[in-house]
Amino acid sequence: MAEASGDGGMEDKISALPDELLIHVLSHLRSREAVHTCVLARRWRDLWQWVPCIDVSFKEFADMPYEDDDEDDFEFKKFVNRLLMLRRPVDLEAFRLEYRLPTDGDYAEDDSAGANLWIAHVLQYKAQAVKVVTQNEYLQLAPSVFTSAYLKRLHICNANLIQGFFKHLQMGCPVLEYLLLSNTNIQDLDIFSNTLKALTLADDVMFSFNNGDQASISAPNLTSLSFEWCPSAARLPVLKNMTSLETASVVLLWGTIRYCDADGIKQFLGGLSHVRSLNFCYGVKKVEMKDNYRWCPTFGNLINLTLHSSCVHGDFYALIVFLQNSPSLKKLTLELYQVYGLLRSIYPSMNVGAFTVKIKLFLFICQREYQTQDIPTITGELEDRSFTCEQLEIVEIICSEGNELLPWVNQFLLDSGIRPDQMRVIYED
């Protein structure tokens, strides 16, 4: 950072850099770290005030030796308030907030007031990306704070979205394109947006309304849809106006969808019929399609298809039906994971201690797979088991060495006319 100068002093080369470059460097630090640079030298004293990104977390104050248990939260909120008051009125690129609510369960909406005020404040300074993550309890987000003609990306984790939230989001944020919701409680029956291009519902998103009601998702300009861990609901949501959809990744597992039948599967997949790339994992329950029921739509645009182990059970019924309805398919990927491998593929960084609910689900699925023959899959009888994928170039099989399904799948593909040079096996632990 510094070296000896001709007069015997020290030359600070970093401080000699232009303000714009130094501010860019500070924008990659947590806000508290950026503020601390003010003590380096007079040259640095005010630079943090011009940083276009705010990244604050209660965790930075949690390990301090405070006498009172609540003092760390008090100091955190005081720091954020002063940060927002003292920074220069420059436009914001991003706001990232890790917030904590009381852990005793006796909290009110007032405990969420600070986060709501901060979100409203940063949106006044044209923040284009907002990420809000809460620990312990659901953050009570006020729909009215989301009013911005500049917000493009919104990521909410562990929050409660009251009825009317999406209606206000549609009107208040007219350029919103990317929305990620994880571990969030949704009280709206309908999710709709005319501007969204990418929507991710992950990590136990819950719909809170009567079990007889059915959620819907309507987004005519959506190009990417992801259910990284399917939303918890009684029934599969209805997908409407998805004609622009190009990519979809869907994980349907027991414990998230409590009721699933042939009509629900048909309705859900029908909303995905325009995609070019589909990753589909089914593990809700065993559903038998009777009398050649047409539950799978024709995927006329589908080029890349990824299916998981459940689709090869039931004498390859689900796999055959997908292939019969994918005339443009170029690449087929089969992921032949055992149950734990499946869960790990969905949560590659899964921490056993942190995901108690998911471990319970894992144990339940294991019990179902290894103690009964009722493996969650889609089954049925086919009058015609043949399929023609004239444009198919490669079949990729991902599994562990010694996977018991691999020889069975290999033989099926060969018997179906797939050439050995079109098949590739990738072994993963």
Side-chain angles (χ1 to χ4, degrees):
M1 179 173 178
E3 62 181 30
S5 61
D7 59 1
M10 298 297 290
E11 180 183 1
D12 183 353
K13 288 191 173 182
I14 290 183
S15 293
L17 294 173
D19 284 358
E20 293 78 8
L21 185 55
L22 293 177
I23 291 171
H24 177 74
V25 172
L26 293 181
S27 68
H28 290 81
L29 299 177
R30 281 276 177 87
S31 293
R32 195 179 187 213
E33 295 172 330
V35 171
H36 284 168
T37 62
C38 70
V39 302
L40 293 177
R42 181 181 297 275
R43 172 77 169 77
W44 291 78
R45 186 171 60 185
D46 300 324
L47 286 178
W48 65 269
Q49 299 178 4
W50 299 92
V51 175
C53 299
I54 296 176
D55 187 351
V56 290
S57 172
F58 72 91
K59 294 178 181 178
E60 294 183 285
F61 296 81
D63 296 330
M64 302 297 288
Y66 297 117
E67 296 181 1
D68 192 298
D69 291 341
D70 296 328
E71 191 173 353
D72 54 345
D73 282 334
F74 174 79
E75 291 297 328
F76 167 62
K77 293 176 181 178
K78 184 172 73 172
F79 168 78
V80 178
N81 286 331
R82 288 186 58 80
L83 174 73
L84 296 178
M85 282 176 23
L86 296 177
R87 68 179 299 274
R88 302 291 180 171
V90 295
D91 292 348
L92 278 169
E93 296 173 5
F95 175 64
R96 293 179 290 271
L97 168 66
E98 284 188 273
Y99 199 74
R100 182 172 62 183
L101 289 164
T103 59
D104 56 10
D106 184 22
Y107 67 98
E109 291 186 9
D110 289 346
D111 295 308
S112 300
N116 283 305
L117 286 172
W118 297 338
I119 296 170
H121 181 88
V122 299
L123 289 179
Q124 290 180 2
Y125 287 94
K126 304 179 182 180
Q128 298 180 40
V130 171
K131 179 178 180 179
V132 181
V133 179
T134 317
Q135 184 170 312
N136 302 321
E137 304 290 347
Y138 279 145
L139 182 67
Q140 306 298 314
L141 282 178
S144 58
V145 306
F146 293 96
T147 303
S148 170
Y150 303 92
L151 182 64
K152 292 183 178 180
R153 292 177 173 269
L154 178 59
H155 179 172
I156 298 173
C157 178
N158 209 19
N160 184 45
L161 308 183
I162 65 173
Q163 200 166 33
F165 180 86
F166 288 95
K167 181 178 180 180
H168 183 88
L169 201 63
Q170 164 76 7
M171 296 185 299
C173 299
V175 299
L176 185 66
E177 296 182 351
Y178 302 92
L179 177 62
L180 191 157
L181 303 177
S182 60
N183 197 25
T184 296
N185 180 39
I186 299 174
Q187 297 182 21
D188 272 322
L189 191 60
D190 301 312
I191 296 177
F192 58 92
S193 172
N194 292 324
T195 63
L196 281 182
K197 294 182 179 179
L199 173 64
T200 297
L201 303 179
D203 200 9
D204 293 342
V205 170
M206 294 184 292
F207 291 98
S208 297
F209 36 73
N210 295 329
N211 287 339
D213 293 330
Q214 188 173 20
S216 71
I217 302 174
S218 176
N221 291 304
L222 199 70
T223 59
S224 175
L225 174 66
S226 178
F227 288 3
E228 293 181 1
W229 185 274
C230 187
S232 296
R235 304 165 64 189
L236 288 171
V238 179
L239 304 181
K240 302 177 180 178
N241 302 322
M242 295 287 182
T243 55
S244 298
L245 197 61
E246 297 180 0
T247 302
S249 179
V250 177
V251 177
L252 306 176
L253 293 183
W254 183 94
T256 55
I257 298 296
R258 298 188 295 277
Y259 178 74
C260 191
D261 62 4
D263 290 338
I265 294 172
K266 178 180 180 179
Q267 189 178 55
F268 182 81
L269 289 178
L272 303 175
S273 60
H274 293 85
V275 296
R276 294 171 58 85
S277 178
L278 175 63
N279 180 348
F280 182 74
C281 175
Y282 179 85
V284 182
K285 69 173 185 177
K286 184 176 181 179
V287 174
E288 185 175 356
M289 303 298 180
K290 298 182 179 180
D291 302 323
N292 286 286
Y293 181 72
R294 291 190 58 81
W295 54 273
C296 183
T298 298
F299 293 98
N301 302 325
L302 190 62
I303 296 175
N304 297 314
L305 173 63
T306 299
L307 298 174
H308 295 256
S309 302
S310 61
C311 289
V312 307
H313 289 293
D315 199 17
F316 297 100
Y317 170 79
L319 173 59
I320 293 173
V321 173
F322 271 106
L323 294 178
Q324 288 177 339
N325 289 278
S326 305
S328 303
L329 192 66
K330 292 185 177 181
K331 181 180 179 181
L332 171 66
T333 302
L334 299 175
E335 298 192 354
L336 307 181
Y337 291 113
Q338 300 293 352
V339 176
Y340 177 72
L342 170 62
L343 198 62
R344 187 174 57 186
S345 73
I346 300 168
Y347 284 100
S349 60
M350 182 175 63
N351 181 318
V352 174
F355 289 94
T356 305
V357 174
K358 295 174 182 61
I359 294 303
K360 290 180 179 178
L361 171 60
F362 159 67
L363 293 174
F364 179 87
I365 297 176
C366 281
Q367 184 180 25
R368 288 175 61 91
E369 177 159 350
Y370 295 113
Q371 296 184 11
T372 78
Q373 298 301 314
D374 190 21
I375 297 174
T377 187
I378 302 171
T379 66
E381 296 292 334
L382 288 170
E383 294 179 357
D384 179 12
R385 290 176 57 86
S386 64
F387 57 87
T388 302
C389 296
E390 296 181 352
Q391 300 187 48
L392 187 63
E393 298 173 356
I394 185 171
V395 178
E396 192 173 85
I397 303 172
I398 301 174
C399 65
S400 59
E401 291 194 45
N403 186 287
E404 59 187 18
L405 295 176
L406 181 58
W408 188 35
V409 171
N410 272 335
Q411 192 59 52
F412 166 78
L413 294 172
L414 292 171
D415 293 343
S416 300
I418 306 298
R419 303 189 312 272
D421 63 291
Q422 292 178 288
M423 298 163 55
R424 179 171 64 190
V425 179
I426 299 176
Y427 292 107
E428 291 187 353
D429 295 333

